[in-house]
Amino acid sequence: MSSLSTLFLNPWFMAAGGVLVLAPIIIHLINRMRYKRVRWAAMEFLLKAQKRNRRRLIIEQLILLALRCFLVLLAGFLVARFVGNVMGLENLGGNVGTEYVVILDDKMSMHDRWKEAGESTNSFDVGKQRVQEIALKASQATPAPKFQVFRLSDMSTPLFNDRLNDQSLSQLKARLKDQEQATLRHLKPTQAIKTAREMLAKSLEGRKAIVYVSDLRETDWNGTDKALDQELDDLMAKKVNVYLVDTAHPFRRDIQGGAPPHHDNLAILDLRPETRVVSSEGQPIEFSATIANYGPSEKKNVFLEVYVDGQLRFEASQPISSIPPEGLTHKFLLGFQQEGYAQVTSKLIADEQTGIEEDNVRHTMVHVVKNIKVLVIDGNYPDHMKPSGDTVPLETALNSSKGYVVDKFGPDRLETPNLDEYPSIYLLNVPRFKSEKGLKNLEDYVAKGGRVAIFMGDKVEPNFYNKSLYNDGKGLLPVPIESKPTPKLSDNERMDRLKGDQFLLFVRDYNHQVFAGLNGCQDALRFLLIDQYFRALPRSKWVNKPGEGVIRELATLPSRGQLADFARSAQDLAKRLPTDEAADFKYRKYIPGLKKHRQAIQSACLPGNQLYQLANAFNTLLTDTGDSKNAADRPNLVDFWNLAEPEIRQLRTDVEQFRDAIQYGDPLVLTKRFGNGRVVLFLTSAGRSWNDWSGGSMAQFTYPMVVGDLQKYLTATGDDVSETLPASEGTSDQPARAPRSLTDDQSHMIGDSLEVRRDLTRYDAKLHRYYSPGLPGASRPGKAKTPPKEGGQGAPARDEDEGEQQATISGKELVFSFADARKPGMYRLKLFPRAGSGDQPPVPEELAFVYNVDSAAESNLRRASRDHLEKEPGADNPNHGKVFLVASDSNLDMFRQRQADMSESPWIYLLFLVLLVVEQALAVHLSFHLKGGGQQPALAPQAASQTTTAAA
Amino acid sequence: MAATKKEKEEDPRRFLHPKTIARISRLDFRARQVVEGYISGMHRSPFFGHSVEFVQHREYVPGDDIRHLDWKVWSKTDRFFIKQFEEETNLRCTLVVDVSESMHYGTGALNKYNYACTAAACLAYLLIKQQDAVGCITFDSTVRNVVPARSQQNHIDAIVKVLDISRPREKTDIEMILRRVTESVSGRGLVVLFSDLLADREPMFRGLEMLCHRRHDLLVFHVMDDDELTFPFVGSTRFEGMEQLPHLLCDPRSLRDGYIEALEEYLIEVRRGCTHMGIDYHLTRTGDYLDAVLSKFLRHRMASRSSTRAANRV
């Protein structure tokens, strides 16, 4: 019967029809049983007739019987509405039913809420409603379609998988009702659509369709995702229709083109401390909250609440007067007294009637310790504590910040494990590592998220550094170095440099954390003389170039080129400045200033001047803000350089590049991303052996500032603040990122998975897990973690006990996998070391991780335009599927696909008519019907005529 | 309408329709009605006194019809002589009636047997009325009954009686019968055969040829039922053959054309065969009016008398 139901819209009629096909045969047999008896005299003729026509009669009667049976069968096909897809009959009727794969988007943006008739609703609720409406419409199709419903976050477990009928519709409704809310994950549609395509490829149904019920945000549907486009093209080529059902508010109208309006939304994109390890005795640390305003106008009257372990910290909670559309970074200070992992939560309080509420909360954490351990590896060890060495000034600078404990060792310390106990490591004038093991330990440490600062010195062995630490760009060292340091400056050289009005060190980015503290006291760098340093090999020999995202130049020494080498080029460049009143009329208001700077440049090119003076002239040209009170004579040239004209933009680029070329010389401070960690390389010494930074110069006050900032950078979280945040690439079936190591405390996104590995012999194979929501009253009641903390008010955060977790064994390691983070907050893991040889019972080891929503990917509620959503097949593929956009007021009758069947084809009726005519003709031929209106034909005249006898 | 109905009621031919005839159960009455009706429906028959030629005188014997006395001869001779006309010559007619089983078939008012008997009785009545000698032989597989030719008025009773009692039961062996007829009928005469001729053709033709060879004047009334000629049957029918022929269950409509074709071949063959032998052949339906039979017979009589006179002159 199931096969009949796939071939016929009314299968039971065909079952009856199949029986009725036998009717002509049965009637024939009954007729043969029911007969009249006639005693017949002229039997001779009857027998002769029967003998002559026996074969023909049998054939003709069989043909007639077959025709009648076929007519009954054909009538049965018509009544039963044949839709079979058999050998070309596809075009006579329709295909069998439709199979729908419905994907209900449940990513974080579906939490976009609004009020409707006083009731709060969101895109996910609308999505559930739309699924039901579509199912109801589709259930009216014949035959009943197959319907599978999945959540985008879980394409392996269908919420519903059945043919649609009244009973299954009720089940669908109940299951959708159970889906209370969307997830807090960032999910992309590509993988889910691919999975749906693979499901439909196995389907036997004639028509297939994918229904994607979503808020269709621009971040997902902006036309730049080539993989998504390819999936849609593949589906269209396979004649699968894709229906994109928009659930976002304000509801899209069917006639609406472009992108419909979207809700404004505030979101905290990032919250990070300046350092992840904090001393309980140290100074308060600064937190940066990056707030985005996804709206056209500034948002006012916004308040930022700050909680530490669920307790509101008034000193950090502040109003934010205005958040412009481009967003802002809000900073606040927090101090910590209690040791352990402290969860810091910021929450935006704004009068938001719409948008996503969940992205107004952001978590981070700091590890509060009594003293922050710093590992210093000094190449002069054990003679490292000489005042003229490198360790003493460094330690002094660190101690000025309080809370640091400096462990000082020689290079051998790198050979031993457990570098992880140090948030940061300094290598000071280390000649080489003892063995490969030490190098591997250090590389592993950095790769897992650790940070290392390397300072040079006279003991440094360049060959080792180039071969092992640089390793053709694959090692820790950002750049290769020359085989020997620069020669020490002579006294005259020192004097010449000091008395010149030039910067002796250029900070390339004052926003970088390492040198952020120098912002405002740049002039001190005119006195920071670097006597000796290791010169990096020419940039052309670097494997990784700045700007590629791997290494960055943080500070550069001035160029030591000769003015004569650049004078001609400078003058040529200066001549390109638009100074002709007639020819450069549109720039006339800038001409006075440009003329002056041109003259200045030409003056700087005169023999006897220094290259830095020329560089200064170009710097001044680029940064001259003029005099607003005397704009005619001193226009603001910054505006000039910001003009959009292509020739000005090109000129600016050329001027800046020339300026850089004549201003910047050898790099001094570089940083490199290595795995999850960072390496900061100072190509000079930490102490006074190669420079007077730590003492003996007017710039020495900057040394502890830089060291303090350096230390904070080395213990900071995430990427460098000045870099853009990495986009998350979450999918429904695969984690957004690769599993991370223990020491990487960057903010994880909901849905990420983690692995914790421990030595099998040293730890129990179980751990205990706790969850802390970070906000008071935000979680289920659970066991209280600790008594309320000092300096805070409100109900303490309550850790939720998530129970024990067993490890799996991989080689000699215990592996704890954690992929269950579905709520933002902090997750603590308590590991249990095995009892050692000592008397002291082992202390449980605690780890913590913070999970946040992926606001950067989900908080922008801008919606995709119709052009990016709908797709039509090409003119040469008219039969391909389409991508339809189903707006809120779209007619859903498209889902009530009434299957065309054979009875709708005119050819069938023509065939029926022809067969009827043939049957009637054959019946007449076989004399089943009387000819000539029912008159029986008379006997042939010659046989019945009178005759006269011939004359005898 | 009333006049038409009255005319119909007074129409003497009303007795000639088989349906009407069939209501008269006694064969002799039936024959009388037919003949009287036939005669009264026509102007006076030329047979009776007008076109019948005087042939010779015969001395009067008691019992002769005094209407035929030749008074002129008496005036001259004072002796009584009877005029003899042509029909008063010694016509010996033998009615040979097939009473085999196949003659029992008929779906109309009269089956073939009744029709043949009625026709034969009518002819006998007519001939006896004309003082011709009429005999009758009924047969099936054998000669069933023989009535010698007599011309007495009451001879019709004997003929009718024989026809009445000869119920069809056996198949026909027509050659043998016709040979017997040939042997039994002495002298030249008229033999009128009433049969459905549903027998083998060759033996039948041989039998007829024997009769022709004996210089008998043959008149064949081929009696067939309307159904046998038109085959109007519909629906599944089991035809049970008479005279030991096999049965056949068939759809008669599918065989109708073939049956008609075979029947036509048979009728043509019979007609040709009779024509070839100079036999006056008439296909007679059981639905035909009986005056047709009488008319055919009378026409035959006129034609044969003309030929005889022509031969005598020579």
Side-chain angles (χ1 to χ4, degrees):
Chain A
M1 199 61 199
S2 62
S3 60
L4 270 182
S5 66
T6 61
L7 292 172
F8 299 95
L9 299 182
N10 301 324
W12 287 109
F13 281 100
M14 192 57 229
V19 175
L20 286 175
V21 166
L22 299 173
I25 299 172
I26 294 170
I27 291 170
H28 171 73
L29 293 174
I30 290 173
N31 283 339
R32 285 188 69 84
M33 289 162 53
R34 297 169 56 189
Y35 54 82
K36 295 177 295 190
R37 290 169 180 268
V38 174
R39 286 191 56 76
W40 185 246
M43 202 64 201
E44 172 193 351
F45 314 114
L46 203 59
L47 290 172
K48 199 177 282 185
Q50 195 254 357
K51 186 179 175 184
R52 283 179 187 174
N53 300 301
R54 181 188 175 83
R55 182 175 293 180
R56 179 183 62 83
L57 281 174
I58 287 173
I59 290 170
E60 287 179 348
Q61 290 191 359
L62 281 176
I63 291 172
L64 188 62
L65 188 63
L67 266 177
R68 286 171 175 172
C69 290
F70 185 65
L71 279 168
V72 175
L73 184 71
L74 199 58
F77 270 44
L78 290 173
V79 173
R81 300 177 69 189
F82 179 67
V83 291
N85 180 10
V86 178
M87 290 182 64
L89 287 179
E90 182 176 336
N91 293 328
L92 287 181
N95 295 332
V96 295
T98 308
E99 178 161 357
Y100 293 94
V101 174
V102 179
I103 303 172
L104 177 59
D105 190 351
D106 60 345
K107 64 184 190 302
M108 196 185 89
S109 65
M110 295 290 280
H111 282 270
D112 179 19
R113 74 194 192 286
W114 63 93
K115 274 207 162 79
E116 210 163 82
E119 293 287 325
S120 182
T121 184
N122 58 37
S123 292
F124 187 69
D125 291 339
V126 171
K128 290 190 291 183
Q129 183 62 31
R130 295 296 273 168
V131 171
Q132 289 184 60
E133 290 169 3
I134 290 169
L136 182 62
K137 279 289 180 184
S139 68
Q140 297 170 8
T142 48
K146 234 182 134 190
F147 214 70
Q148 296 185 72
V149 180
F150 295 88
R151 287 181 69 137
L152 180 61
S153 58
D154 186 3
M155 288 296 294
S156 59
T157 308
L159 297 179
F160 178 84
N161 183 5
D162 203 348
R163 287 207 182 264
L164 292 176
N165 50 50
D166 291 339
Q167 189 180 357
S168 63
L169 280 173
S170 304
Q171 288 175 3
L172 173 64
K173 184 177 178 182
R175 287 193 196 151
L176 286 172
K177 193 177 175 187
D178 292 341
Q179 311 305 312
E180 290 183 0
Q181 53 183 355
T183 66
L184 293 174
R185 297 171 62 183
H186 167 62
L187 301 167
K188 293 190 79 65
T190 308
Q191 182 60 37
I193 287 178
K194 182 183 175 187
T195 305
R197 175 174 61 79
E198 289 166 356
M199 286 179 201
L200 288 175
K202 299 173 195 169
S203 168
L204 298 177
E205 298 293 327
R207 291 185 185 154
K208 303 164 192 177
I210 292 177
V211 182
Y212 191 81
V213 183
S214 169
D215 52 3
L216 302 176
R217 303 293 176 187
E218 191 190 52
T219 50
D220 295 326
W221 300 89
N222 54 16
T224 61
D225 189 337
K226 299 300 178 198
L228 179 59
D229 280 344
Q230 187 60 47
E231 283 296 328
L232 293 175
D233 289 341
D234 288 347
L235 284 165
M236 288 165 65
K238 287 180 170 55
K239 301 182 184 177
V240 177
N241 285 334
V242 178
Y243 299 92
L244 302 177
V245 182
D246 196 345
T247 64
H249 187 269
F251 295 128
R252 191 189 295 258
R253 301 294 169 198
D254 210 12
I255 59 169
Q256 191 173 20
H262 58 278
H263 291 156
D264 297 345
N265 189 36
L266 286 176
I268 303 178
L269 299 184
D270 185 54
L271 176 67
R272 62 176 63 197
E274 60 178 343
T275 177
R276 69 178 186 272
V277 183
V278 181
S279 170
S280 59
E281 295 178 353
Q283 301 290 330
I285 61 171
E286 186 177 77
F287 287 79
S288 300
T290 305
I291 302 172
N293 175 10
Y294 296 111
S297 58
E298 62 176 355
K299 285 286 185 282
K300 295 189 175 182
N301 302 322
V302 179
F303 193 87
L304 184 73
E305 290 184 347
V306 177
Y307 296 80
V308 175
D309 290 331
Q311 296 184 22
L312 183 65
R313 298 288 286 267
F314 289 104
E315 72 276 20
S317 302
Q318 301 165 7
I320 302 174
S321 58
S322 169
I323 302 177
E326 58 269 25
L328 56 76
T329 299
H330 178 80
K331 297 181 189 291
F332 56 88
L333 294 172
L334 271 178
F336 301 88
Q337 289 77 46
Q338 186 160 356
E339 293 171 29
Y341 287 102
Q343 182 181 3
V344 179
T345 304
S346 60
K347 181 179 179 183
L348 276 176
I349 308 295
D351 185 21
E352 275 190 308
Q353 301 296 322
T354 59
I356 302 173
E357 203 170 0
E358 286 75 5
D359 56 6
N360 293 351
V361 176
R362 196 82 180 174
H363 305 276
T364 188
M365 70 171 192
V366 290
H367 192 190
V368 184
V369 295
K370 191 170 177 4
N371 292 299
I372 301 172
K373 294 175 71 175
V374 177
L375 176 62
V376 172
I377 306 294
D378 195 324
N380 286 309
Y381 189 87
D383 297 325
H384 56 285
M385 291 308 292
K386 292 177 183 173
S388 59
D390 296 324
T391 298
V392 169
L394 182 73
E395 187 177 12
T396 305
L398 287 171
N399 288 336
S400 68
S401 297
K402 284 193 177 180
Y404 294 107
V405 168
V406 179
D407 290 347
K408 299 168 281 287
F409 291 97
D412 290 354
R413 176 63 180 85
L414 295 175
E415 307 294 317
T416 59
N418 293 339
L419 293 177
D420 297 344
E421 63 182 292
Y422 298 102
S424 55
I425 296 176
Y426 292 81
L427 300 183
L428 308 179
N429 199 12
V430 173
R432 62 181 299 116
F433 296 174
K434 185 180 177 184
S435 70
E436 285 293 321
K437 187 178 177 187
L439 176 63
K440 186 169 185 321
N441 282 346
L442 189 64
E443 286 182 340
D444 289 347
Y445 165 81
V446 177
K448 286 188 290 186
R451 299 193 178 188
V452 172
I454 301 176
F455 287 85
M456 296 301 191
D458 56 350
K459 291 189 181 304
V460 164
E461 294 180 17
N463 285 340
F464 169 79
Y465 274 66
N466 285 333
K467 186 179 173 191
S468 300
L469 285 181
Y470 179 69
N471 192 16
D472 284 329
K474 297 190 287 285
L476 293 171
L477 212 64
V479 292
I481 58 177
E482 287 187 349
S483 58
K484 55 184 180 182
T486 58
K488 200 174 173 67
L489 292 175
S490 64
D491 290 339
N492 287 337
E493 284 174 331
R494 290 171 59 87
M495 290 308 296
D496 284 341
R497 293 184 185 186
L498 284 171
K499 73 180 181 187
D501 184 28
Q502 61 174 317
F503 283 93
L504 299 178
L505 182 69
F506 292 101
V507 174
R508 302 303 294 269
D509 185 1
Y510 279 99
N511 287 324
H512 196 278
Q513 201 167 359
V514 173
F515 292 103
L518 295 186
N519 203 0
C521 47
Q522 294 95 322
D523 284 339
L525 300 180
R526 297 177 191 272
F527 308 99
L528 177 55
L529 186 63
I530 307 297
D531 278 328
Q532 275 184 290
Y533 62 95
F534 267 100
R535 182 175 283 134
L537 293 180
R539 287 177 173 77
S540 60
K541 295 194 176 181
W542 299 2
V543 172
N544 302 302
K545 302 289 193 293
E548 292 177 353
V550 180
I551 67 171
R552 289 185 70 186
E553 275 189 61
L554 299 184
T556 308
L557 295 169
S559 172
R560 293 296 164 201
Q562 298 299 317
L563 177 64
D565 297 333
F566 297 98
R568 185 62 172 244
S569 302
Q571 288 175 349
D572 292 341
L573 197 54
K575 286 177 186 172
R576 289 171 56 189
L577 295 173
T579 53
D580 189 327
E581 299 276 352
D584 303 313
F585 181 77
K586 57 185 173 181
Y587 308 122
R588 62 186 184 286
K589 73 174 182 178
Y590 304 106
I591 289 176
L594 290 171
K595 278 184 176 174
K596 285 184 183 147
H597 284 288
R598 185 174 172 182
Q599 289 170 354
I601 290 169
Q602 287 169 343
S603 298
C605 292
L606 293 172
N609 287 329
Q610 302 291 322
L611 185 61
Y612 76 89
Q613 291 169 305
L614 181 62
N616 288 344
F618 275 97
N619 256 334
T620 309
L621 170 65
L622 287 168
T623 58
D624 186 3
T625 55
D627 184 354
S628 60
K629 294 177 183 172
N630 187 17
D633 287 334
R634 290 194 60 197
N636 184 346
L637 292 182
V638 174
D639 293 340
F640 170 76
W641 293 116
N642 285 333
L643 290 174
E645 279 76 356
E647 64 270 20
I648 303 302
R649 295 175 78 87
Q650 183 61 50
L651 181 61
R652 174 180 172 172
T653 302
D654 293 342
V655 168
E656 286 176 341
Q657 285 179 350
F658 185 77
R659 187 272 319 268
D660 291 348
I662 62 174
Q663 178 169 271
Y664 299 127
D666 296 325
L668 188 70
V669 183
L670 302 107
T671 177
K672 177 178 180 179
R673 185 202 301 266
F674 185 87
N676 289 324
R678 295 276 175 163
V679 175
V680 183
L681 172 64
F682 287 79
L683 287 166
T684 186
S685 64
R688 293 181 58 183
S689 56
W690 283 6
N691 58 72
D692 54 4
W693 199 355
S694 57
S697 75
M698 293 176 66
Q700 66 185 41
F701 71 94
T702 62
Y703 183 80
M705 293 167 66
V706 171
V707 169
D709 286 342
L710 173 63
Q711 175 56 29
K712 288 178 183 176
Y713 175 72
L714 293 177
T715 56
T717 60
D719 293 311
D720 294 354
V721 174
S722 60
E723 289 183 356
T724 56
L725 292 170
S728 57
E729 293 290 333
T731 65
S732 60
D733 295 324
Q734 294 180 4
R737 304 161 201 266
R740 301 190 179 202
S741 69
L742 170 64
T743 57
D744 182 1
D745 55 2
Q746 292 183 30
S747 178
H748 302 276
M749 301 302 169
I750 300 290
D752 284 359
S753 59
L754 279 177
E755 268 186 10
V756 173
R757 291 176 177 263
R758 284 289 182 270
D759 192 330
L760 173 67
T761 61
R762 296 176 55 205
Y763 286 85
D764 286 349
K766 65 168 194 261
L767 56 75
H768 212 99
R769 234 165 52 196
Y770 303 89
Y771 163 73
S772 175
L775 292 172
S779 66
R780 302 192 298 271
K783 194 164 51 175
K785 183 181 79 171
T786 55
K789 291 197 175 154
E790 297 174 9
Q793 291 187 11
R798 297 194 177 264
D799 277 1
E800 294 175 22
D801 188 343
E802 298 205 331
E804 285 190 349
Q805 179 181 345
Q806 293 292 325
T808 57
I809 297 175
S810 172
K812 293 182 182 177
E813 286 186 320
L814 295 170
V815 180
F816 298 91
S817 295
F818 180 54
D820 298 343
R822 294 288 180 262
K823 299 173 287 189
M826 189 165 78
Y827 292 83
R828 300 173 199 271
L829 307 178
K830 188 177 279 187
L831 291 98
F832 302 95
R834 290 182 192 274
S837 55
D839 297 332
Q840 303 265 343
V843 177
E845 180 183 336
E846 200 173 81
L847 306 170
F849 307 93
V850 162
Y851 278 81
N852 283 294
V853 296
D854 195 343
S855 304
E858 291 286 330
S859 296
N860 188 349
L861 300 178
R862 188 180 297 277
R863 295 161 72 177
S865 75
R866 184 178 284 271
D867 296 335
H868 285 145
L869 294 170
E870 288 183 325
K871 274 190 152 200
E872 294 268 349
D876 50 349
N877 296 308
N879 292 327
H880 280 194
K882 292 184 187 178
V883 179
F884 297 90
L885 175 59
V886 181
S888 62
D889 58 347
S890 291
N891 190 345
L892 295 182
D893 282 349
M894 66 187 83
F895 296 103
R896 191 175 58 183
Q897 290 171 345
R898 202 173 57 79
Q899 296 295 317
D901 58 88
M902 182 183 277
S903 66
E904 296 179 24
S905 170
W907 295 106
I908 289 301
Y909 293 100
L910 184 63
L911 176 66
F912 205 85
L913 190 63
V914 166
L915 287 175
L916 276 174
V917 168
V918 169
E919 189 269 342
Q920 286 294 295
L922 191 57
V924 168
H925 172 70
L926 290 177
S927 304
F928 274 59
H929 302 289
L930 299 176
K931 296 176 188 172
Q935 297 293 327
Q936 295 189 17
L939 203 56
Q942 62 271 23
S945 64
Q946 292 270 0
T947 60
T948 56
T949 57
Chain B
M1 290 292 284
T4 304
K5 186 177 178 185
K6 185 178 179 185
E7 283 175 3
K8 279 186 179 176
E9 287 173 354
E10 292 175 356
D11 183 5
R13 294 189 74 239
R14 66 185 181 277
F15 294 108
L16 302 177
H17 194 278
K19 282 188 182 175
T20 312
I21 297 295
R23 296 196 198 118
I24 304 172
S25 60
R26 283 186 60 170
L27 190 56
D28 51 346
F29 287 159
R30 194 187 294 169
R32 182 181 300 148
Q33 288 296 334
V34 170
V35 174
E36 295 295 340
Y38 176 71
I39 291 172
S40 62
M42 300 169 53
H43 56 81
R44 199 154 178 83
S45 169
F47 281 131
F48 300 106
H50 291 281
S51 62
V52 176
E53 290 189 7
F54 168 75
V55 178
Q56 64 185 17
H57 286 102
R58 171 174 67 81
E59 192 163 0
Y60 171 82
V61 291
D64 290 337
D65 191 349
I66 61 172
R67 288 182 298 174
H68 294 150
L69 281 172
D70 192 349
W71 296 109
K72 287 183 180 177
V73 172
W74 177 76
S75 69
K76 290 178 183 178
T77 63
D78 204 21
R79 290 169 68 182
F80 292 103
F81 284 90
I82 297 294
K83 288 181 185 175
Q84 278 189 316
F85 297 96
E86 192 175 44
E87 65 274 18
E88 290 178 352
T89 56
N90 293 324
L91 174 66
R92 291 172 67 81
C93 178
T94 305
L95 303 174
V96 182
V97 181
D98 185 351
V99 296
S100 63
E101 188 185 6
S102 64
M103 290 293 287
H104 185 65
Y105 178 79
T107 56
L110 297 171
N111 60 21
K112 287 190 289 186
Y113 165 74
N114 288 330
Y115 192 91
C117 290
T118 303
C122 291
L123 288 184
Y125 185 83
L126 183 65
L127 288 167
I128 286 175
K129 199 171 171 66
Q130 294 181 75
Q131 295 175 347
D132 284 323
V134 178
C136 180
I137 298 174
T138 60
F139 70 93
D140 47 32
S141 58
T142 61
V143 173
R144 296 283 300 277
N145 291 288
V146 179
V147 176
R150 293 285 184 274
S151 59
Q152 282 84 353
Q153 293 297 315
N154 57 357
H155 192 55
I156 185 64
D157 295 332
I159 291 172
V160 165
K161 183 178 177 184
V162 160
L163 291 172
D164 247 346
I165 64 175
S166 297
R167 292 285 173 233
R169 57 170 187 248
E170 299 287 345
K171 63 178 293 181
T172 309
D173 185 357
I174 196 164
E175 183 187 7
M176 185 272 286
I177 297 304
L178 291 176
R179 185 181 302 117
R180 286 287 299 277
V181 168
T182 307
E183 290 166 357
S184 65
V185 175
S186 59
R188 184 168 172 253
L190 173 63
V191 176
V192 181
L193 176 63
F194 292 91
S195 173
D196 55 9
L197 300 182
L198 292 177
D200 293 334
R201 250 71 80 203
E202 291 303 319
M204 180 180 70
F205 288 140
R206 284 198 294 272
L208 291 173
E209 198 172 10
M210 273 191 284
L211 280 170
C212 291
H213 190 67
R214 283 296 187 91
R215 300 182 70 188
H216 288 293
D217 196 4
L218 273 171
L219 181 58
V220 173
F221 285 100
H222 188 178
V223 182
M224 292 205 78
D225 189 76
D226 287 331
D227 284 352
E228 288 175 331
L229 292 170
T230 60
F231 204 69
F233 300 99
V234 293
S236 185
T237 307
R238 179 183 162 92
F239 292 95
E240 296 174 349
M242 294 176 169
E243 298 186 9
Q244 298 174 7
L245 286 173
H247 305 325
L248 178 66
L249 176 63
C250 67
D251 185 355
R253 289 177 295 182
S254 62
L255 291 178
R256 187 170 180 279
D257 287 347
Y259 170 86
I260 297 294
E261 183 186 347
L263 178 65
E264 284 183 6
E265 287 174 3
Y266 157 74
L267 292 177
I268 289 170
E269 187 184 357
V270 169
R271 180 175 58 80
R272 281 183 183 163
C274 291
T275 304
H276 178 72
M277 287 183 281
I279 297 171
D280 198 358
Y281 168 86
H282 300 282
L283 178 62
T284 307
R285 295 168 176 257
T286 54
D288 288 345
Y289 279 74
L290 280 154
D291 60 344
V293 175
L294 296 175
S295 296
K296 290 169 188 174
F297 172 77
L298 290 174
R299 270 199 285 278
H300 175 81
R301 283 289 297 129
M302 288 173 66
S304 64
R305 195 171 67 239
S306 298
S307 65
T308 302
R309 272 204 294 271
N312 286 341
R313 278 197 209 102
V314 174

